Amino acid sequence: MKDKSFNLLCQVERDGLIMPELINLPNEVLTIIKRLESAGYEAYAAGGCVRDYFLQRNSDDFDVTTSAKPEETRAVFKDYRVIETGIKHGTVTAIIRGLKVEVTTYRIDGLYEDNRRPSKVTYSKSSYEDTCRRDFTINALLYNPKTGVVDYHGGLEDIKNKVIKCVGEPENRFSEDTLRILRALRFSSVLGFQIEDKTKQAIFKTKILLKKISAERIATEFSKLLCGNSVREILTEYITVLGVFIPELLPMNGFNQLNPYHKYDVFDHTARVVENCPPVAHLRLAALFHDSAKPLVQRVDKKGIGHYKGHAEAGMQLAVHVLNRLKYDKATIGKVKLLIQYHDDTILPEKPMIKRLMAILTPELLLDLYALQRADAASKGGKKSRRDRFIGASESLTKEIIAAGECYSFDCLAIKGGDLINAGLCEGPETSRLMKLLLDAVIDGKVENNKNALLDYAKASDEKNEN
Ligand code: ATP
Ligand code: MG
């Protein structure tokens, strides 16, 4: 076995990293470590939560790694609530004062099947061996209050130098579990770290194996990747990697728009729009696909100018197709669909138009649409279009409508179908026609949104119809 030497806290200080004596982990995690140690086992906080401490980022999940076997861990926490979901892989989740902490036995992963999961997991007595199965050096740090930071693979140095580097031989590690490629791109995008050369070469060499990874695992990492600050750099540099599971992106790369409104090719522009959108998955997915159909619908006129009639509709269909294949949830797909469908529309700062859009999109999604349009406008490097000139005014007006609670949909109309039926004004299918007429009248400012005014308006329109 390899030499077990490792960097302790004191060496870290010498390297110029500013280190407090103790890592500030939640008490619940420290309690778990202490309990395991009191029972005679080794235990460390491991992986993401230690990394995030040094990056001054909040962790959402905490992992503890231990020499105790799962049954032994269970026995140590017999007076706590414990979930055994991952017991096959040595994981017991202890719930302590509401915090879920995954406690996993030191593990050596056996041979990998299908480039995605180990066929057999062997428990180990060695914390070093456990760190060797972890993906990147920055994710292979251990900590407990007695030993300080245990850094077998130079992870602290890599955090300092902002580098993503595989633990062990990159090509082997990506061939074992190819999702690690996407994790590398995700960490690079989110943390702004560079991917070390050998790791990068291995990514390009093994990328085709991403075809074997399940859609769900890909989608989770891909959404996180898209929400990183350095997403533009990642999209640009790794388009051929992403093209393995979304080949629909590839025609955009280098596609000349032949249009005075656009300085950049479609993919360059797209990467900028993604970057300029707020880091919310559905928005960034919409940005990624908003112009994806341009290469499919391009028409070049006699003057050599490119036109893209129908690209929003076609892009929407393409996005829905891809997101269904990647098994995204229905809510996300629904939002992406509407955002792409309307992204190129000019929204005038006029209340009726805005209220109708609020009804179709929801107020929140309409605000997202402005964010997408603004990002789009900022990423052209060419002339401002008519659409772009109205974004600010329409957004302000939308916020005014929301703040004033003005009616824009059936839900906020001050009358219900039943009221119209009770007043003898309609029955059956007529009701929805009359309701629609009243909503239109309210939206167009022809009648106030109160019950009596609406009943009077409905009666008047009924009489008009009869005459
Ligand atoms: P996040 O901030 O998303 O939680 P994370 O690195 O903590 O990032 P987790 O999925 O919580 O990711 O995994 C916890 C730890 O388990 C990682 O830090 C890493 O050490 C290890 N790990 C996770 N996925 C893999 C993988 N596919 N291959 C090898 N090690 C992995
Ligand atoms: Mg984590």
Side-chain angles (χ1 to χ4, degrees), residues 231-256:
V231 61
R232 180 163 70 86
E233 288 83 343
I234 295 298
L235 290 176
T236 308
E237 187 167 3
Y238 296 94
I239 168 79
T240 56
V241 176
L242 306 176
V244 172
F245 56 93
I246 316 181
E248 292 86 347
L249 294 176
L250 296 172
M252 288 196 264
N253 199 21
F255 190 85
N256 188 337

Side-chain angles (χ1 to χ4, degrees), residues 300-337:
V300 182
D301 66 20
K302 284 184 200 132
K303 291 184 191 147
I305 307 279
H307 299 276
Y308 302 94
K309 197 157 174 274
H311 83 274
E313 197 73 20
M316 170 192 93
Q317 284 168 12
L318 188 147
V320 168
H321 177 74
V322 172
L323 298 184
N324 272 320
R325 189 178 68 223
L326 291 177
K327 301 211 166 75
Y328 270 91
D329 59 285
K330 293 255 173 312
T332 301
I333 297 176
K335 287 180 194 170
V336 172
K337 187 175 162 182

Side-chain angles (χ1 to χ4, degrees), residues 4 30 40 68 83 86 122-123 127 148 168 219 232 294 297 324 353 416 430 456:
K4 268 195 163 193
L30 296 173
I83 314 175
T122 314
Y123 299 136
S127 61
R232 180 163 70 86
K294 277 193 167 176
V297 303
N324 272 320
M353 181 178 198
K416 299 282 163 260
E430 266 298 281
D456 289 346

Side-chain angles (χ1 to χ4, degrees), residues 46-49 51-52 59-63 183 186 224:
C49 64
R51 173 201 70 217
D52 287 344
S59 280
D60 339 316
D61 59 339
F62 296 90
D63 300 307
R183 283 176 57 86
R186 185 255 284 199
K224 290 183 185 174

Side-chain angles (χ1 to χ4, degrees), residues 172-185:
N172 295 342
R173 303 310 312 282
F174 291 136
S175 304
E176 282 169 4
D177 176 2
T178 312
L179 187 76
R180 290 172 190 153
I181 290 186
L182 272 192
R183 283 176 57 86
L185 304 191

